[in-house]
């Protein structure tokens, strides 16, 4: 499929966001950061929102390294001096300010490894060998200092744990044209295999992926989440990518085990997988009340994992294609619902840009021009939602201003860049396979 020739509108939209980010940056010497609305504005018990602003951290998901990555990609296309300067300022901030102690260093979206990836990728697109090496050196430091056999355990998911780390490390292998990060990725994959509960019918369950509170669950039983960012789809895909690199059967078995677990909960009627924080075995799956329809939870994110698996295991087309088609229907229905409602979250993690990016990826793999056209229409929707100062409703509870990559305007800008130049890597699936 040949993408529609760019007409300049998408790059212009990304440039407006880039300009706003440059104007909003807070500088100290050669480093910069931003103030944004907090992800923790809503009280977990009452859901009352208290608008709260804070200085950004340095992580890829919501911090300065993610903004640096967007600005670097923008600079590579425009050669704009202001965005170049601000990208470097954000990189320096990310490198010099440690993440909070609560952050796990191996986290791709929330930890030091993700910062390393963003710095290395920024160096690559800016053609700065020195900057790229700084990112690779930080990743080597994380690998050297991380004891995977630590009995205290690691998170397992894509956002903050082993699965995301594996995908990021393989991305670093590709960008550096070396397998030097593969041994660490293998150790993390082996850790995932050790942590799985294996059932007699072939399911692999990672109970650490459960997000429900055991004290609030009937019988105190909680179930691993379905889904990409926090669930079994992301863990399974990480193991499949390791199988592709190593040929090891245990990693392939882990993928099949995760697939079997999620197959158990797939609803053909809904084209979706339920949120299992409310599930008990005496409840029919189709009767569950919560069905995510975003990258982080539900059909759109799982769709990406199934598409990638199909490209690696085409012999599974009879098993994967019905789910892919169902998840596409659910995703397109979510887009339709969003379009019919009031102005909403526009971001990558759980908003409009995420839908658009997912449909771009699906269109490219499936060769369906209609999906590409839908992604373009989402871009047009977002242009209509743009407010003065290149502002949009963001993914924080209040929808207030946030400049970050996954829940803020940098990620919206990154989607516009991908509409302009689809060869730019998406971060919503394996960060080397877009």
């Amino acid at each position: 499929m040949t993408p529609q020739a760019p007409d300049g509108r998408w790059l212009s939209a990304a440039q407006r966001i880039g300009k706003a980010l440059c104007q909003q940056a807070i500088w100290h010497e050669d480093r910069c950061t931003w103030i944004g609305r907090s992800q923790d504005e809503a009280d977990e018990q009452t859901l009352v929102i208290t608008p709260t602003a804070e200085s950004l951290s340095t992580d890829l998901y919501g911090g300065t390294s993610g903004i640096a990555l967007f600005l670097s990609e923008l600079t590579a296309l425009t050669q704009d001096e202001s965005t170049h300067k601000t990208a470097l300022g954000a990189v320096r901030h990310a490198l010099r300010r440690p993440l909070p102690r609560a952050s796990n260093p191996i986290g791709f979206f929330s930890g030091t490894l993700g910062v390393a990836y963003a710095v290395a990728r920024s160096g690559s697109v800016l053609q700065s060998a020195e900057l790229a090496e700084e990112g690779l050196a930080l990743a080597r430091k994380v690998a050297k200092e991380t004891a995977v056999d630590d009995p205290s355990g690691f998170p397992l998911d894509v956002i903050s744990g082993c699965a995301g780390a594996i995908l990021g490390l393989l991305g670093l292998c590709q960008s550096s044209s070396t397998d030097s990060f593969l041994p660490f990725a293998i150790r993390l994959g082996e850790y995932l295999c050790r942590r799985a509960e294996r059932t007699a019918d072939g399911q692999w369950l990672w109970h650490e992926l459960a997000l429900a509170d055991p004290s609030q669950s009937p019988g105190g039983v909680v179930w691993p989440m379905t889904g990409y960012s926090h669930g079994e789809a992301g863990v399974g895909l990480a193991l499949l990518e390791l199988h592709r690199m190593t040929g090891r059967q245990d990693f392939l078995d882990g993928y099949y085990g995760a697939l079997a677990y999620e197959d158990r909960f797939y609803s053909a009627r809904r084209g979706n997988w339920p949120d299992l924080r409310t599930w008990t075995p005496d409840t029919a799956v189709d009767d569950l009340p919560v069905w995510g329809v975003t990258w982080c939870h539900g059909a759109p994110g799982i769709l990406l994992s199934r598409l990638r698996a199909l490209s690696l295991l085409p012999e599974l087309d009879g098993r994967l294609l019905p789910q892919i088609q169902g998840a596409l229907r659910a995703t397109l229905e979510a887009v339709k619902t969003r379009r019919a409602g009031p102005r909403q979250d526009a971001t990558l993690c759980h908003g409009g840009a995420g839908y658009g990016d997912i449909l771009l990826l699906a269109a490219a793999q499936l060769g369906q021009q209609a999906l590409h056209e839908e992604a373009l229409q989402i871009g047009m929707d977002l242009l209509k939602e743009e407010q003065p100062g290149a502002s949009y409703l963001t993914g924080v509870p209040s929808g207030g201003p946030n400049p970050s990559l996954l829940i803020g305007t940098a990620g919206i800008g990154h989607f516009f860049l991908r509409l302009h130049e689809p060869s730019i890597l998406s971060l919503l699936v394996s960060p080397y396979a877009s």
Side-chain angles (χ1 to χ4, degrees):
M1 180 183 66
T2 302
Q4 177 178 311
D7 60 9
R9 76 181 72 180
W10 311 123
L11 183 58
S12 294
Q15 286 178 297
R16 291 194 295 274
I17 291 174
K19 179 181 178 181
L21 289 171
C22 291
Q23 292 172 341
Q24 295 160 5
I26 300 169
W27 287 85
H28 175 69
E29 296 177 346
D30 62 347
R31 309 186 297 281
C32 66
T33 187
W34 287 263
I35 299 291
R37 287 290 183 86
S38 171
Q39 300 175 54
D40 300 320
E41 292 180 308
D43 183 274
E44 292 185 3
Q45 300 299 321
T46 66
L47 301 182
V48 172
I49 295 173
T50 304
T52 307
E54 61 186 7
S55 175
L56 298 194
S57 182
T58 60
D59 60 278
L60 183 63
Y61 185 95
T64 55
S65 64
I67 298 174
L69 184 54
F70 161 63
L71 292 176
S72 297
E73 298 279 11
L74 179 61
T75 299
L77 290 174
T78 65
Q79 304 304 309
D80 181 84
E81 291 185 8
S82 179
T83 56
H84 190 190
K85 174 187 174 183
T86 309
L88 293 178
V91 165
R92 295 188 192 102
H93 177 268
L95 286 170
R96 297 183 196 177
R97 178 168 179 165
L99 284 160
R101 290 184 179 180
S103 299
N104 196 292
I106 67 169
F108 181 69
F109 285 100
S110 65
T112 306
L113 189 62
V115 174
Y117 175 89
V119 173
R121 174 70 183 165
S122 295
S124 176
V125 300
L126 294 174
Q127 299 183 335
S128 169
E130 180 181 359
L131 184 59
E133 176 53 34
E134 283 195 78
L136 295 173
L138 181 58
R140 286 192 289 268
K141 183 174 185 289
V142 172
K144 180 180 179 180
E145 295 179 356
T146 301
V148 180
D149 293 324
D150 183 342
S152 64
F154 290 92
L156 306 185
D157 64 350
V158 164
I159 293 288
S160 60
C162 297
I166 289 168
L167 298 174
L169 289 164
L170 297 183
L172 289 171
C173 286
Q174 177 171 304
S175 65
S176 61
S177 300
T178 174
D179 288 340
S180 60
F181 296 104
L182 184 57
F184 184 40
I186 290 172
R187 295 196 336 256
L188 293 173
E190 291 169 342
Y191 180 81
L192 285 175
C193 290
R194 292 197 302 272
R195 297 299 300 173
E197 176 194 337
R198 309 180 192 193
T199 67
D201 58 355
Q203 298 176 54
W204 286 35
L205 282 66
W206 287 275
H207 291 285
E208 292 91 336
L209 298 176
L211 296 182
D213 181 348
S215 67
Q216 302 298 316
S217 300
V221 177
V222 294
W223 296 87
M225 292 289 288
T226 63
Y228 183 75
S229 72
H230 292 293
E232 296 241 351
V235 172
L237 182 61
L239 291 173
L240 181 58
E241 297 286 5
L242 272 180
H243 167 72
R244 180 182 71 89
M245 294 292 291
T246 65
R248 285 180 46 167
Q249 185 64 40
D250 54 344
F251 296 147
L252 182 59
D253 291 343
Y255 171 71
Y256 278 115
L259 184 62
Y261 177 76
E262 287 197 323
D263 280 354
R264 171 183 177 184
F265 297 102
Y266 177 66
S267 167
R269 178 169 65 85
R270 295 175 180 268
N272 205 345
W273 296 256
D275 187 314
L276 293 177
R277 278 172 279 196
T278 59
W279 185 68
T280 57
D282 58 350
T283 304
V285 169
D286 276 341
D287 293 337
L288 287 170
V290 181
W291 299 77
V293 284
T294 61
W295 169 75
C296 42
H297 294 288
I302 298 176
L303 167 64
L304 291 184
S305 73
R306 298 299 192 264
L307 285 168
R308 178 60 177 163
L310 182 63
S311 72
L312 298 178
L313 298 172
E315 65 272 21
L316 290 185
D317 59 345
R319 183 174 181 180
L320 295 177
L321 277 176
Q323 294 185 4
I324 288 171
Q325 296 303 325
L328 274 172
R329 290 194 303 272
T331 301
L332 291 170
E333 185 61 32
V335 171
K336 181 180 177 181
T337 299
R338 181 186 189 278
R339 191 169 287 147
R343 182 168 169 255
Q344 299 176 48
D345 176 6
T347 62
L348 281 177
C349 184
H350 35 259
Y355 292 135
D357 201 279
I358 288 166
L359 292 175
L360 270 185
L361 291 163
Q365 182 168 334
L366 298 174
Q368 295 185 17
Q369 183 65 25
L371 296 178
H372 187 79
E373 295 295 333
E374 187 63 52
L376 293 174
Q377 184 56 53
I378 290 172
M380 294 298 297
D381 294 341
L382 293 177
L383 291 181
K384 294 176 184 177
E385 296 171 19
E386 182 179 341
Q387 299 294 302
S391 68
Y392 294 82
L393 280 182
T394 69
V396 299
S398 69
N402 184 289
S404 66
L405 187 65
L406 266 291
I407 56 167
T409 50
I412 302 167
H414 197 271
F415 169 58
F416 285 137
L417 287 183
R418 284 193 17 84
L419 284 176
H420 176 79
E421 179 48 71
S423 65
I424 291 174
L425 290 176
S426 171
L427 293 174
L428 298 188
V429 71
S430 305
Y432 54 89
S434 306

